[in-house]
Amino acid sequence: MSAATTREGTSGGLRERLSGVVSQLAAAGALIVVFVFLSFASPVFLTTDNLFNIGTQTAVVAVIAIGMTLVIITAGIDLSVGSVAALSGVLGVTLMVNAGLPPIVGIAGGILVGATCGLVNGLLVSFAGLNPFIATLGMLTVARGLVFITTGAVAVFGAPESFRLLGQGRIGPIPIPIIVILVVAVLGYVVLSRTKLGRYAYAMGSNPEAARLSGIPIKRYLTSVYVISGALAGLGGMIAASRVNSGQPNYGVGLELDVIAAAVIGGASLFGGQGTILGTLIGAFLIALIRNGAVLLNVDIFYQSVIIGVVIWIAVFWDQYRRRRLASASE
Amino acid sequence: MPESAKGDPVVRLRGVSKKFPGVVAVDGVDLEILPGEVHVIAGENGAGKSTLMKLLSQVERPTEGTIEVSGEPVEFHGPRYAQGLGVAMVHQEFALASHLSVAENLFLGREPMRFGLVDRRTMRRRAEELLRKVGLQTDPDKLVSTLSVAGQQRVEIAKAVDGEPKVVIMDEPTATLAEKEIEDLFAVIRDLTSRGIAILYISHRLDEIFRISDRVTVMRDGKVVDTLPTRELDEEKLVRLMVGREVGNLYPKPEVEIGEVVLRASGISRGTVLEDCSFEVRAGEILGFAGLVGAGRTELARAVFGADRRDSGTVEIDGKEVRLKNPQQGIDAGIGYLTEDRKGEGLALELGIDKNITLASLPMTGGFISLDRERRTANRRREELNIRTPSVRRKVRVLSGGNQQKVVVAKWLETRGRVLFFDEPARGIDVGAKAEMFGLIGDLASQGRAIVLISSYLPELLNMCDRILVMREGRVAGEIERPEFSEERVVALATGAREVGAA
């Protein structure tokens, strides 16, 4: 047979799985390198307290990035997560303060607010046919506006002490935010690999027309994806609010960029069809490690941004390079 | 025609190889191209034809060997340099900026300048000259996006012939053209060769090779098998050289007992595209849809399946009317539609073979996808359809066209479709894979499925079908039963050249 098929016959699925691991390793490798480096460079780094601290600090980004991964897999984007997180935070806290509801209901309320914003995003994208960039850009400013309208640009204080648990509490020795990351990640993994929603997300992102002709009700599933992203932004917003035990109207400006960076560093492709939960978590932790290391080593905060930007370039470049090589080898 | 090919070769390849990591795509090729000849490079997918063209047009750099143009060895400096030497390429997918005008496209990146500004008047004049050369009658100020596919291709050719090239490379130029447009293209090719320009032509369509070429070079596994004058070849010999073995019958049509009507479509209309189309197809029957490109064959299939909306008309399955407003309802009713554009509409290329096969019928257990059943299903279909891959988890992107097509078939078999529409199933796949695909279609019919076969290549329809429905301008122009099959009849109905009977 042809040269290409001979190659298929010899190299097989093993090569593919290996290259899958390698691509994970690009980000994972960087994570390990940074980790080992910081262990030596700073005496404080490798302490339980500091590591838990990193986990706690990255919880918001990691949780929201899991939703973002789902959106990016469909070849979409959700720019509104920062504003939505803020809106959820202030409204969730307001529920506790003004209506005197218990924290658990306040948190659920915050998540519901996020899901509602996500629903609007989803309807705009799938039924009104707006480009995801535009639809969620609109939501970014709408949600931020609603934050200021509802709060009068004043932070909402007075939530019950027990609300602090979500962002600051522990179960045994482990901070609750870290447990939240794990739970959301496991759920995200199951959704992506074992449910119709996850499978159809990949299919829609890879080829929407093929998905439609295969009988997939695209609009419904696409809408659901944005609802999930919004709900997780809401959860992230509640975690952030709990950490300061208040609803902050200015919270989350630019948060979407960290979230997208985490997903993209973790191998999610903005062209859709590609992305994993594990990769996104690695991306989120890599960013958190760099931030933490910079603080420990007393690196100017402005350099952090530069470093993270460069990491994005390298990660995505590596990813594309790998894909191009795979593609040219198969022709 | 062959007599026009005379003189010293315009292009000569000596021992040219191209190695990619792990693959030798082109392996020690010697080739001579004579002025004014139409030289076809034939071979299966992956034989190295496209890579060879890329080496000639300097898109890729050879790893070994020399390329001579007009007797002089050439250095490697990229596509624009090659064009300067007189080697021009007309791409399969047109590289035109659709929102620019024809003239702007023709001179893109090399606009005639005057006082530092684009000299639009000169550009227009020269564009008119070029268009005349390639027989395209259109205003150079028209936007490219308003031209037909054939027109756009002509613009590409005009671009290629600017500066009197020695060789024009055409990669599957007829893949997206209708029969009449192919004739026109051939006229342009003959005109070019009469001026001494050599045409290097890649095609999968055997009939064309015999219609247009002077010499044929057959490639297999990156090597040249042989170069022969076309008159010393026949279809069987050519296929044998390409495949490297006997292929047997290209169109194995089985004897099938034809059963009851499975699908009946009546009065299907949609905008200006479809007008009052009716047909029925029976269990075990292969019904062909013939017609020119744009006659509404694909549109009719899509409207019946539920992929496009219908203004009116009904569809019955087993005599019961079914609601078909979207593909999901089509699938539920037992209809499958295998799109003509496999990569664009049929497959999720980034996903695995297994996931593509189950896409329309996910095996669910308690609300979750059963990965185990999915893998077993995929492996069973791999065996059954002979999908050549070491693992069903590989991405569909890396499969050959024929194997990709089998993945699409597998997907629709999984939906238990009783009526399957095959839209140009043999497009872009190898001769060997074609025979296999038609064998498969025959098998499906003998299992009692109703098959609708859409094809622009008449021999496929004439050999495989029990009945051919001919469409013209969105209407059903007529139907022909197998005993009455002939190419002339189909063409007459398709073109309306002469009205038959009371139609």
Side-chain angles (χ1 to χ4, degrees):
Chain A
M1 284 291 299
S2 68
T5 41
T6 321
R7 182 190 169 82
E8 270 172 37
T10 52
S11 52
L14 185 66
R15 174 185 295 271
E16 210 145 282
R17 236 168 292 160
L18 266 180
S19 84
V21 174
V22 169
S23 91
Q24 294 293 358
L25 278 181
L31 189 73
I32 292 166
V33 169
V34 174
F35 192 92
V36 171
F37 169 75
L38 289 175
S39 308
F40 287 104
S42 160
V44 192
F45 176 74
L46 206 56
T47 58
T48 322
D49 266 356
N50 186 52
L51 293 182
F52 278 161
N53 186 25
I54 295 171
T56 309
Q57 277 176 352
T58 198
V60 176
V61 168
V63 164
I64 301 178
I66 286 166
M68 184 69 77
T69 305
L70 207 56
V71 173
I72 290 181
I73 285 172
T74 67
I77 193 87
D78 188 348
L79 297 177
S80 68
V81 289
S83 299
V84 169
L87 184 63
S88 298
V90 297
L91 291 185
V93 172
T94 304
L95 278 181
M96 293 179 244
V97 177
N98 289 4
L101 295 167
I104 190 78
V105 180
I107 293 167
I111 294 173
L112 197 65
V113 168
T116 309
C117 294
L119 179 64
V120 174
N121 280 335
L123 295 175
L124 288 174
V125 170
S126 48
F127 288 91
L130 287 188
N131 178 296
F133 189 98
I134 303 301
T136 60
L137 181 66
M139 181 57 75
L140 179 149
T141 69
V142 167
R144 185 64 65 183
L146 290 177
V147 169
F148 291 124
I149 291 168
T150 51
T151 61
V154 180
V156 189
F157 289 102
E161 273 307 301
S162 57
F163 175 53
R164 286 181 184 275
L165 277 177
L166 177 63
Q168 302 172 42
R170 289 170 184 250
I171 292 179
I174 304 171
I176 290 178
I178 293 182
I179 294 172
V180 173
I181 299 179
L182 289 177
V183 171
V184 173
V186 168
L187 288 178
Y189 176 80
V190 171
V191 165
L192 269 187
S193 60
R194 298 295 301 277
T195 67
K196 283 189 173 176
L197 177 69
R199 179 62 61 83
Y200 292 167
Y202 282 110
M204 290 185 290
S206 178
N207 190 339
E209 184 62 9
R212 190 177 81 88
L213 292 178
S214 297
I216 297 171
I218 288 195
K219 292 180 178 177
R220 217 166 67 206
Y221 280 98
L222 203 53
T223 308
S224 312
V225 164
Y226 284 90
V227 170
I228 291 174
S229 175
L232 289 178
L235 176 57
M238 292 316 292
I239 296 174
S242 164
R243 282 162 55 80
V244 292
N245 208 24
S246 59
Q248 297 290 338
N250 284 313
Y251 177 74
V253 175
L255 178 66
E256 61 280 353
L257 300 180
D258 266 11
V259 168
I260 294 168
V264 167
I265 289 174
S269 161
L270 292 179
F271 297 109
Q274 313 217 7
T276 59
I277 298 296
L278 182 62
T280 296
L281 283 186
I282 290 172
F285 275 97
L286 185 58
I287 294 175
L289 272 197
I290 293 170
R291 289 252 155 87
N292 180 258
V295 171
L296 293 183
L297 300 179
N298 233 342
V299 176
D300 190 324
I301 188 159
F302 300 128
Y303 283 95
Q304 291 178 30
S305 310
V306 174
I307 295 170
I308 290 168
V310 172
V311 168
I312 294 175
W313 285 339
I314 295 174
V316 174
F317 173 80
W318 169 257
D319 211 38
Q320 290 181 353
Y321 169 76
R322 180 184 60 89
R323 248 171 241 155
R324 229 175 294 144
R325 263 189 25 169
L326 262 184
S328 71
S330 66
E331 263 168 20
Chain B
M1 270 277 302
E3 299 318 312
S4 66
K6 273 182 196 140
D8 295 330
V10 283
V11 171
R12 179 184 284 142
L13 280 69
R14 293 183 203 263
V16 169
S17 297
K18 176 67 186 178
K19 299 192 172 94
F20 292 107
V23 194
V24 183
V26 170
D27 192 357
V29 164
D30 295 314
L31 183 66
E32 287 183 351
I33 298 160
L34 305 174
E37 74 168 338
V38 178
H39 194 129
V40 165
I41 307 287
E44 296 203 282
N45 286 328
K49 305 175 305 243
S50 293
T51 310
L52 188 69
M53 299 306 111
K54 284 181 186 164
L55 294 178
L56 259 178
S57 57
Q58 301 209 354
V59 173
E60 300 269 6
R61 181 194 292 269
T63 30
E64 277 165 36
T66 54
I67 299 175
E68 292 171 12
V69 176
S70 312
E72 298 285 323
V74 298
E75 291 173 42
F76 182 90
H77 292 295
R80 196 170 268 196
Y81 180 72
Q83 189 159 10
L85 290 173
V87 181
M89 174 110 183
V90 178
H91 291 276
Q92 194 174 358
E93 275 103 23
F94 310 128
L96 297 174
S98 56
H99 296 294
L100 297 184
S101 76
V102 172
E104 282 164 336
N105 266 285
L106 284 174
F107 298 101
L108 199 60
R110 50 197 184 93
E111 292 81 359
M113 303 299 276
R114 198 163 172 246
F115 309 127
L117 294 173
V118 174
D119 181 354
R120 303 198 68 91
R121 191 134 39 103
T122 309
M123 191 158 100
R124 200 191 138 86
R125 185 176 44 76
R126 286 181 49 200
E128 276 170 351
E129 273 167 38
L130 277 178
L131 293 178
R132 207 170 313 123
K133 267 191 201 170
V134 297
L136 179 63
Q137 288 162 354
T138 188
D139 181 356
D141 289 336
K142 252 177 125 176
L143 290 187
V144 159
S145 56
T146 62
L147 298 183
S148 68
V149 173
Q152 295 188 17
Q153 180 182 53
R154 215 55 76 74
V155 175
E156 272 275 323
I157 296 174
K159 225 169 135 180
V161 301
D162 187 25
E164 287 301 311
K166 300 187 175 73
V167 189
V168 176
I169 302 170
M170 296 188 178
D171 189 357
E172 299 230 29
T174 58
T176 47
L177 299 188
E179 189 52 39
K180 170 77 176 70
E181 296 165 336
I182 293 176
E183 266 315 316
D184 292 347
L185 174 69
F186 284 177
V188 172
I189 288 179
R190 287 191 192 103
D191 183 51
L192 293 176
T193 53
S194 72
R195 290 192 275 141
I197 299 174
I199 307 287
L200 198 56
Y201 189 105
I202 302 184
S203 181
H204 272 116
R205 293 169 75 162
L206 298 178
D207 60 324
E208 282 175 24
I209 297 180
F210 291 100
R211 268 162 70 189
I212 191 73
S213 73
D214 302 312
R215 292 199 300 158
V216 181
T217 292
V218 180
M219 289 186 73
R220 199 193 318 140
D221 296 335
K223 296 192 180 72
V224 167
V225 179
D226 208 350
T227 298
L228 291 164
T230 310
R231 61 182 124 76
E232 289 174 23
L233 279 169
D234 57 36
E235 192 156 320
E236 203 193 311
K237 188 172 176 191
L238 180 59
V239 168
R240 201 171 56 234
L241 286 173
M242 284 165 67
V243 183
R245 63 187 152 81
E246 297 287 337
V247 167
N249 189 355
L250 258 181
Y251 307 108
K253 167 141 182 85
E255 285 297 317
V256 179
E257 188 79 14
I258 290 177
E260 295 296 307
V261 172
V262 181
L263 180 144
R264 175 178 287 122
S266 325
I268 308 282
S269 295
R270 186 187 147 218
T272 56
V273 190
L274 293 172
E275 218 182 310
D276 194 25
C277 295
S278 302
F279 68 94
E280 57 183 44
V281 55
R282 295 166 173 269
E285 183 183 37
I286 303 178
L287 170 67
F289 277 11
L292 302 179
V293 170
R297 296 166 302 168
T298 294
E299 289 75 8
L300 180 55
R302 288 178 64 104
V304 170
F305 172 60
D308 296 335
R309 101 198 134 68
R310 294 194 302 274
D311 295 335
S312 60
T314 58
V315 178
E316 289 170 25
I317 299 282
D318 295 332
K320 280 194 285 291
E321 188 174 337
V322 285
R323 229 175 99 90
L324 290 175
K325 288 198 159 265
N326 55 47
Q328 173 136 51
Q329 289 173 345
I331 292 168
D332 292 343
I335 306 175
Y337 171 60
L338 290 81
T339 57
E340 111 191 81
D341 180 0
R342 197 165 53 231
K343 289 185 182 173
E345 301 182 332
L347 291 165
L349 294 172
E350 299 302 332
L351 300 191
I353 296 164
D354 48 357
K355 292 176 181 172
N356 271 283
I357 289 178
T358 58
L359 192 56
S361 56
L362 278 174
M364 303 299 285
T365 321
F368 292 99
I369 300 170
S370 166
L371 299 180
D372 192 48
R373 264 165 62 204
E374 172 167 77
R375 188 149 47 248
R376 269 184 286 144
T377 303
N379 277 318
R380 198 181 67 240
R381 292 295 181 195
R382 167 170 72 160
E383 297 276 308
E384 180 187 323
L385 304 181
N386 194 14
I387 301 170
R388 280 182 282 274
T389 173
S391 158
V392 291
R393 300 181 60 170
R394 303 207 84 190
K395 284 184 184 180
V396 166
R397 178 182 292 286
V398 304
L399 296 180
S400 68
N403 281 310
Q404 287 182 345
Q405 188 67 291
K406 288 182 199 165
V407 173
V408 179
V409 173
K411 175 171 83 179
W412 290 108
L413 293 183
E414 277 307 310
T415 65
R416 316 248 168 262
R418 298 181 50 221
V419 186
L420 294 177
F421 289 82
F422 286 84
D423 199 346
E424 302 283 359
R427 175 168 291 173
I429 66 179
D430 298 341
V431 179
K434 260 178 211 175
E436 220 175 340
M437 184 54 57
F438 287 118
L440 184 59
I441 291 173
D443 289 347
L444 295 175
S446 24
Q447 290 160 17
R449 286 192 174 80
I451 307 285
V452 176
L453 178 59
I454 304 175
S455 174
S456 293
Y457 187 44
L458 273 182
E460 290 173 8
L461 295 179
L462 296 174
N463 282 294
M464 290 302 299
C465 296
D466 297 292
R467 200 152 50 89
I468 295 177
L469 177 128
V470 186
M471 293 190 70
R472 183 174 74 236
E473 290 165 8
R475 297 166 191 252
V476 175
E479 257 184 49
I480 312 172
E481 297 284 340
R482 190 168 177 93
E484 274 85 52
F485 277 3
S486 80
E487 199 152 329
E488 292 72 33
R489 249 170 226 265
V490 176
V491 172
L493 281 171
T495 56
R498 94 189 109 90
E499 294 293 332
V500 184

